[in-house]
Amino acid sequence: AAPERAHELLARAAGASVPAAVIGRVGGTKIRVSIAGRAAVDEPLGVAERIWSTGIERYFESRKAIA
């Protein structure tokens, strides 16, 4: 939902007894995630996308090397 319509989305979720919360905002060229005020992720979007899109493959490749 567009940021200005977040309240509508939250109201619909509440009406359906679905927990929902605004957890951040989007925009820019980096992904930043903080937990308890400390940076957990701070990467350019291209790097983050590559890590995400190859994660399953890398997981199983590392397991194959062990077997």
Side-chain angles (χ1 to χ4, degrees), residues 1-2 6 8 10 14 27-28 31-32 36-37 44 46 48 59 61 64 67:
E8 293 176 38
L10 295 174
I31 182 168
R32 293 184 182 119
Y59 174 84
E61 284 296 320
K64 187 167 51 173

Side-chain angles (χ1 to χ4, degrees), residues 7-25:
H7 67 281
E8 293 176 38
L9 178 62
L10 295 174
R12 290 184 73 172
S17 299
V18 174
V22 175
I23 61 168
R25 61 180 189 244

Side-chain angles (χ1 to χ4, degrees), residues 22-37:
V22 175
I23 61 168
R25 61 180 189 244
V26 298
T29 61
K30 295 183 83 175
I31 182 168
R32 293 184 182 119
V33 177
S34 296
I35 300 172

